[in-house]
């Protein structure tokens, strides 16, 4: 009889313990869901529910191979944007509970709305599926995408006929490109490699493999020291110009209330990275030191006539002509020169 009482009491404790564990996980899940949209800023402390704190002997947060017991949004562990983490709660009853979560980290300062005025329009070949776009003097260097028709071309601003042209193999979908010294670097979408060309002749000089962390090739620019590439995620990768397979560092991009991914055609100008966002008529101004979006252009009025015809005819071209910006898009018939206000 005594053994039955002990067994019954143990079963009761187990039931109570399981229900308590469920309450802890439910409370933690509700907290994480509530904070996912609101987000955090660097330096913020995670104020977990009291029910979790009261029943926990210890709490850690793991990020794959990294783990911390510091419940503060520390840039040593967190990046801007979305962070996939796991909460590890060791209860006072000796159990270890796991709760997956997404912690969004935003920049502290709201991004400024940047204004502009269209000061000139130039013709653009509407057959060009623009993936990379630069100007040097009065010469446009343009990378065109699509399987079977990818190429690198140059032409004079105000004209549409190519001066020089280098075609890619049919199995290559060309992406972003940039000028760095006497070379042009060009990414491919899914081939996990890029091309290096002689700037003057557009002849192929070499190829390079992507760093392992880069998923695909999207946008590319040059800051005078490193190449800066995007891969469709929230990350921008700084690559060694002399060995683009080597990643120097990476940053993640976010604004005050938004995580930005699908960063497409890029341009570096006077200490900032400018980025198109795929399928959005906006251009972001990004601080390359930390990934914070400090400003945003709305080019809806320019993009709408083209995207109304085809949703894939998106804004995707940034270059600077002096202090004015040139903008165009995939299969656009115009290049716009805008003065920044």
């Amino acid at each position: 009889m005594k053994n039955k009482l002990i067994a019954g009491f143990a079963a009761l404790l187990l039931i109570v313990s399981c229900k308590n564990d469920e309450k802890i996980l439910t409370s933690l899940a509700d907290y994480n869901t509530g904070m996912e949209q609101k987000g955090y800023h660097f330096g913020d402390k995670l104020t977990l529910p009291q029910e979790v704190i009261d029943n926990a002997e210890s709490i850690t947060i793991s990020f794959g191979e990294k783990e911390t017991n510091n419940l503060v949004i520390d840039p040593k562990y967190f990046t801007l944007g979305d962070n996939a983490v796991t909460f590890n709660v060791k209860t006072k009853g000796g159990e270890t509970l796991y709760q997956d979560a997404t912690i969004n980290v935003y920049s502290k300062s709201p991004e400024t709305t940047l204004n502009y005025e269209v000061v000139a329009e130039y013709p653009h070949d509407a057959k060009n599926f623009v993936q990379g776009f630069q100007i040097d003097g009065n010469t446009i260097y343009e990378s065109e995408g699509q399987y079977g028709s990818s190429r690198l071309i140059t032409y004079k601003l105000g004209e549409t006929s190519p001066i020089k042209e280098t075609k890619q193999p049919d199995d290559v979908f060309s992406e972003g490109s940039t000028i760095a010294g006497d070379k042009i670097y060009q990414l491919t979408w899914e081939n996990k490699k890029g091309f290096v060309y002689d700037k003057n002749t557009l002849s192929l000089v070499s190829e390079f493999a992507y760093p392992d962390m880069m998923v695909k090739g999207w946008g590319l620019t040059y800051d005078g020291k490193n190449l800066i590439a995007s891969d469709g995620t929230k990350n921008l990768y700084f690559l060694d110009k002399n060995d683009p397979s080597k990643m120097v560092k990476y940053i993640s991009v976010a604004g005050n209330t938004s995580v930005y991914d699908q960063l497409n055609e890029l341009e570096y100008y006077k200490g900032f990275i400018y980025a198109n966002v795929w399928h959005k008529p906006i251009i972001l101004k990004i601080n390359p030191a930390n990934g914070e979006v400090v400003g945003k252009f709305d080019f809806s009025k320019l993009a709408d006539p083209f995207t109304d015809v085809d949703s894939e005819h998106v804004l995707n071209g940034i270059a600077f002509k002096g202090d004015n910006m040139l903008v165009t898009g995939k299969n656009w018939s115009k290049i716009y020169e805008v003065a920044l206000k």
Side-chain angles (χ1 to χ4, degrees), residues 148-164:
S149 57
S150 287
R151 59 181 183 161
L152 181 66
I153 64 172
T154 67
Y155 58 90
K156 293 295 182 183
L157 181 64
E159 302 176 6
T160 57
S161 299
I163 302 169
K164 296 185 180 73

Side-chain angles (χ1 to χ4, degrees), residues 11-300:
L12 180 61
L13 286 178
L14 181 61
I15 292 171
V16 170
S17 176
C18 288
K19 287 185 176 180
N20 198 43
D21 290 350
E22 286 181 15
K23 286 182 179 179
I24 292 172
L25 290 174
T26 300
S27 179
L28 186 57
D30 290 344
Y31 169 78
N32 288 329
T33 300
M35 289 300 298
E36 190 168 334
Q37 184 171 359
K38 182 180 178 182
Y40 299 87
H41 303 107
F42 287 126
D44 287 353
K45 183 175 176 60
L46 280 71
T47 309
L48 301 183
Q50 196 61 43
E51 186 167 23
V52 177
I53 299 298
D54 289 344
N55 288 281
E57 181 178 308
S58 66
I59 302 171
T60 63
I61 302 174
S62 58
F63 310 74
E65 296 179 354
K66 297 186 295 183
E67 187 172 359
T68 179
N69 60 3
N70 185 8
L71 301 181
V72 173
I73 304 300
D74 185 342
K76 181 179 178 182
Y77 297 98
F78 293 88
T79 67
L80 282 173
D82 53 324
N83 294 261
V85 305
T86 300
F87 285 88
N88 313 296
V89 181
K90 185 176 181 181
T91 69
K92 292 179 179 177
E95 298 292 327
T96 300
L97 310 178
Y98 303 96
Q99 178 70 250
D100 293 332
T102 298
I103 293 181
N104 288 321
V105 182
Y106 301 127
S107 63
K108 287 189 175 181
S109 302
E111 48 263 47
T112 302
T113 298
L114 302 174
N115 299 310
Y116 63 92
E117 177 186 3
V118 177
V119 295
E121 297 181 10
Y122 307 94
H124 182 258
D125 191 337
K127 296 190 296 294
N128 292 357
F129 196 78
V130 180
Q131 300 290 73
F133 186 72
Q134 300 86 45
I135 188 169
D136 183 38
N138 200 44
T139 302
I140 300 291
Y141 291 76
E142 199 168 279
S143 174
E144 319 294 353
Q146 302 286 31
Y147 288 113
S149 57
S150 287
R151 59 181 183 161
L152 181 66
I153 64 172
T154 67
Y155 58 90
K156 293 295 182 183
L157 181 64
E159 302 176 6
T160 57
S161 299
I163 302 169
K164 296 185 180 73
E165 175 180 357
T166 295
K167 293 183 178 180
Q168 274 78 55
D170 287 348
D171 66 342
V172 168
F173 192 122
S174 294
E175 283 282 346
S177 60
T178 193
I179 300 169
D182 60 354
K183 300 291 192 298
I184 298 175
Y185 295 78
Q186 182 189 44
L187 301 179
T188 63
W189 182 29
E190 295 185 304
N191 298 77
K192 292 285 285 183
K193 67 178 180 179
F195 301 119
V196 184
Y197 303 89
D198 180 273
K199 177 188 169 187
N200 297 316
T201 64
L202 299 193
S203 59
L204 183 64
V205 176
S206 61
E207 300 180 2
F208 61 91
Y210 293 166
D212 290 340
M213 192 172 178
M214 274 184 64
V215 179
K216 293 182 178 181
W218 282 47
L220 189 67
T221 190
Y222 177 57
D223 66 1
K225 182 180 179 181
N226 297 306
L227 303 173
I228 304 171
S230 63
D231 65 349
T233 67
K234 65 175 181 174
N235 296 329
L236 294 175
Y237 306 91
F238 290 69
L239 311 180
D240 187 331
K241 183 189 73 168
N242 298 316
D243 180 8
S245 298
K246 178 182 177 183
M247 185 176 71
V248 178
K249 67 173 184 177
Y250 78 94
I251 58 174
S252 300
V253 176
N256 184 242
T257 59
S258 300
V259 176
Y260 290 104
D261 58 6
Q262 299 191 320
L263 304 170
N264 216 349
E265 215 270 328
L266 307 174
E267 183 73 13
Y268 183 88
Y269 183 69
K270 288 190 173 181
F272 291 95
I273 301 167
Y274 294 80
N276 285 288
V277 180
W278 190 44
H279 277 289
K280 292 186 179 180
I282 61 174
I283 291 178
L284 307 178
K285 183 179 181 180
I286 302 165
N287 184 344
N290 53 22
E292 289 186 350
V293 177
V294 298
K296 181 166 63 175
F297 292 95
D298 183 348
F299 284 104
S300 297

